[in-house]
Amino acid sequence: RRQRPTSPTNMALRVVCLLTAVACILHPATGKLDEDDTPITLWPMVQTHDAATGYLTFGLVDLWAKTQGTGFGGQLDCGARAFDLRPKLDDGKLQMHHGRVTVKHSLSDAVAEVVAWLAKHPDELVVLFVTAYDGDGCEAATQKALQQLNITLRSDCGVVSGLSVTQAKQQARMATGGSLLALNGCVDERYDPSVECYIGTHSCYGPHKDLAFDKLLNNINQSASHPATESLWMAQAHWQYSAASVAKGVTHDSSILKDEKRSRANAVVTQHVLQGTYKHLNLLEVDNVCDGGLALLAALRNMTRSLRR
């Protein structure tokens, strides 16, 4: 059968794909870019930093470990589509943690919230980035807990990184609806401990906030300019905390959640996404997702449409 000659429009699309190094895929019937054929490594998602801390209380210690204000279901309602999940096996109980702080909430119950949310949002893809296992036998216990929820914890990172969004959705499809892709690592974290809210006597929300924001935004831009292809990858859109930073934050009667809100970090990053500052994004990790997370998700979805034009 003779092939139909390539139209100038389709040829232009192919040229754009090549020049921008985006693995664009043309739909075989329409010849147009298909949204869900975007590589999973170039699909932008809002990821919640230390997602399990949404189950912590508001005690003094917890204030400097608590990066989210609500549990997994609430985070999804606020725009999260990926979770930084850190399991901990302690005295036979599979819970979660943020460093030395134990989140005394069942990992299975937290993930069950995601399954229930997906049943009501069957077109959505959610990623669980499982990392930082704590306790002997924790990895095996996590795998078993996920299996009981009919979720496969995948370690075939090379295979996953080669999937399109459509393929990822199909392979991670839940019987109850939606798609839940659980990854055993498989993410280039690009962690930068120097991106702190408190620098010297200045803060990320004071008159010299640009000192902190220059580091934060430069770090995101550096990641966005070098997308990974061999794994999913992260851009850090939140502040980090050393002991000195926490001490300064306490003197300001602050917390991790307050720092994000006072600095408007999520709103600032959203504005940069809308302005087209970043060429590529994948897992954009934030604190306090319920402060502007839906606006950020909408900006990221708009970003994928812009890439397809």
Side-chain angles (χ1 to χ4, degrees), residues 124-187:
E124 292 284 357
L125 168 68
V126 172
V127 171
L128 291 181
F129 165 42
V130 188
T131 183
Y133 297 99
D134 189 352
D136 292 340
C138 183
E139 183 174 347
T142 301
Q143 185 171 8
K144 181 178 179 181
L146 293 178
Q147 284 176 341
Q148 290 173 343
L149 292 168
N150 297 313
I151 301 166
T152 300
L153 181 60
R154 298 189 61 165
S155 299
D156 52 341
C157 307
V159 173
V160 171
S161 66
L163 299 176
S164 68
V165 177
T166 293
Q167 292 168 332
K169 283 183 174 182
Q170 290 171 344
Q171 294 184 19
R173 188 76 65 191
M174 300 294 296
T176 51
S179 300
L180 184 50
L181 180 63
L183 302 178
N184 190 6
C186 298
V187 174

Side-chain angles (χ1 to χ4, degrees), residues 36 52 154 170 195 206 221 227 241 289:
D36 286 341
R154 298 189 61 165
Q170 290 171 344
V195 180
N221 198 45
Y241 291 89
V289 71

Side-chain angles (χ1 to χ4, degrees), residues 12-301:
L13 284 171
R14 289 187 172 92
V15 171
V16 169
C17 291
L18 290 171
L19 291 177
T20 58
V22 178
C24 303
I25 301 174
L26 297 178
H27 191 282
T30 66
K32 297 179 180 179
L33 290 177
D34 188 355
E35 173 177 352
D36 286 341
D37 281 331
T38 302
I40 189 70
T41 56
L42 291 176
W43 181 251
M45 291 173 274
V46 179
Q47 174 168 294
T48 46
H49 175 221
D50 271 297
T53 62
Y55 299 104
L56 288 174
T57 64
F58 288 90
L60 180 59
V61 173
D62 289 353
L63 288 177
W64 294 101
K66 188 175 179 68
T67 62
Q68 306 300 330
T70 186
F72 283 13
Q75 290 173 40
L76 287 163
D77 286 338
C78 288
R81 293 297 181 268
F83 294 92
D84 165 15
L85 177 59
R86 309 183 188 192
K88 180 173 183 176
L89 187 62
D90 187 16
D91 195 24
K93 296 178 181 178
L94 184 60
Q95 300 174 330
M96 296 161 287
H97 73 97
H98 179 183
R100 296 180 180 179
V101 177
T102 300
V103 179
K104 296 182 179 180
H105 186 89
S106 163
L107 182 147
S108 294
D109 288 349
V111 176
E113 290 185 39
V114 181
V115 175
W117 186 90
L118 280 168
K120 298 176 182 178
H121 302 84
D123 295 329
E124 292 284 357
L125 168 68
V126 172
V127 171
L128 291 181
F129 165 42
V130 188
T131 183
Y133 297 99
D134 189 352
D136 292 340
C138 183
E139 183 174 347
T142 301
Q143 185 171 8
K144 181 178 179 181
L146 293 178
Q147 284 176 341
Q148 290 173 343
L149 292 168
N150 297 313
I151 301 166
T152 300
L153 181 60
R154 298 189 61 165
S155 299
D156 52 341
C157 307
V159 173
V160 171
S161 66
L163 299 176
S164 68
V165 177
T166 293
Q167 292 168 332
K169 283 183 174 182
Q170 290 171 344
Q171 294 184 19
R173 188 76 65 191
M174 300 294 296
T176 51
S179 300
L180 184 50
L181 180 63
L183 302 178
N184 190 6
C186 298
V187 174
D188 182 357
E189 296 189 57
R190 304 184 177 188
Y191 162 74
D192 186 348
S194 71
V195 180
E196 297 190 85
C197 175
Y198 299 95
I199 300 176
T201 59
H202 306 301
S203 72
C204 57
Y205 48 84
H208 300 283
K209 62 184 180 182
D210 287 350
L211 293 173
F213 268 104
D214 283 348
K215 281 197 170 186
L216 178 73
L217 297 174
N218 286 340
N219 182 64
I220 298 172
N221 198 45
Q222 181 70 16
S223 289
S225 300
H226 299 86
T229 56
E230 69 282 358
S231 68
L232 278 73
W233 53 281
M234 190 186 302
Q236 175 185 314
H238 59 83
W239 310 114
Q240 295 288 355
Y241 291 89
S242 61
S245 282
V246 171
K248 291 174 184 176
V250 170
T251 66
H252 285 74
D253 188 29
S254 200
S255 67
I256 293 176
L257 295 180
K258 286 182 180 179
D259 281 352
E260 186 288 316
K261 195 169 185 67
R262 289 172 172 175
S263 67
R264 301 183 68 252
N266 292 346
V268 170
V269 172
T270 298
Q271 190 59 37
H272 277 269
V273 173
L274 289 171
Q275 291 171 352
T277 302
Y278 310 120
K279 188 174 181 179
H280 306 295
L281 287 169
N282 192 202
L283 302 178
L284 185 61
E285 187 170 75
V286 302
D287 286 340
N288 199 15
V289 71
C290 287
D291 183 36
L294 285 173
L296 180 55
L297 175 63
L300 293 177
R301 295 283 168 89

